[in-house]
Amino acid sequence: NVVRDSFQRCIVIHGTHNVTISNNVAYDHFGHCFMLEDGGEFDNKFIRNLGAGSKKMKRRHLVGGDETDDDPSVFWITNPSNDFIGNVAAGSEGPGMWWELRNKIRGPSRTLSPGFKSINPQFLPGGVIRDNVAHSNSGHGMTVYLHGWFPSGPTLWENVSSYKNGLTGLFYHATRNMTL
C-alpha cells in the first residue's frame, strides 16, 4: 500500500489489537504517520514499513486537549506493548520514532475494557524493537520522551540505526531497564 499527500496522518491504529501493518510506504503527509492513537492498542505488529516526509500541522487539531501533530513523527507510539521490526523513519520535521507514553490510556480507548482505566502505559513491557532505521529527521532519530518509560523488566532495542538527524540519534528521557 502507498499513502501519499495526506493532509493528516497515514495509518492510525485506534483501540485495536493484534493487527499487522506491513510493507507499506507513506510519503509527504501532515502530522504523525504510523501511529497508535490512545495507548490502549496492544499486540500490533509494524513490520517493514517506510515513512518519509512527516510535516508539521499548520494548526493544532485538539482531540481530548493534547494532540501532538504539530511536532510530527513518522512512528508515534503511545503503547510500548507492540512490535516494531524493520521499519524506516525518514525526513520528519520532528522525531523519526517517538515513544510518548502517558500515565494513563487516553481518549475513547479508556472505556473499551473496565481494566483499561487503571493501565499506565509507562510501566508496560516493550514488544520487539528490532532492525529499525531513523535518518534525516529534524528531531531525534528515536526517542522516549517526555513522560519516560519504566518497564519492570529489560526492554531490548536490537540492531537499530540512526543517522543524519537534527538532534540526537537515540534520546531516552526519565527511562529505565533499556538495553541497546
Side-chain angles (χ1 to χ4, degrees), residues 32-54:
H32 302 301
C33 185
F34 298 95
M35 66 176 284
L36 299 165
E37 180 83 25
D38 290 344
E41 299 81 18
F42 289 89
D43 300 319
N44 298 294
K45 296 176 183 349
F46 291 81
I47 302 170
R48 293 182 310 277
N49 297 290
L50 167 63
S54 297

Side-chain angles (χ1 to χ4, degrees), residues 43-86:
D43 300 319
N44 298 294
K45 296 176 183 349
F46 291 81
I47 302 170
R48 293 182 310 277
N49 297 290
L50 167 63
S54 297
K55 297 182 288 193
K56 294 180 179 185
M57 297 292 296
K58 296 194 186 317
R59 61 185 169 90
R60 284 188 98 152
H61 292 269
L62 295 178
V63 178
D66 56 2
E67 293 300 319
T68 56
D69 289 295
D70 60 336
D71 189 17
S73 59
V74 178
F75 290 85
W76 191 58
I77 302 151
T78 57
N79 183 324
S81 296
N82 293 277
D83 297 341
F84 296 87
I85 302 167

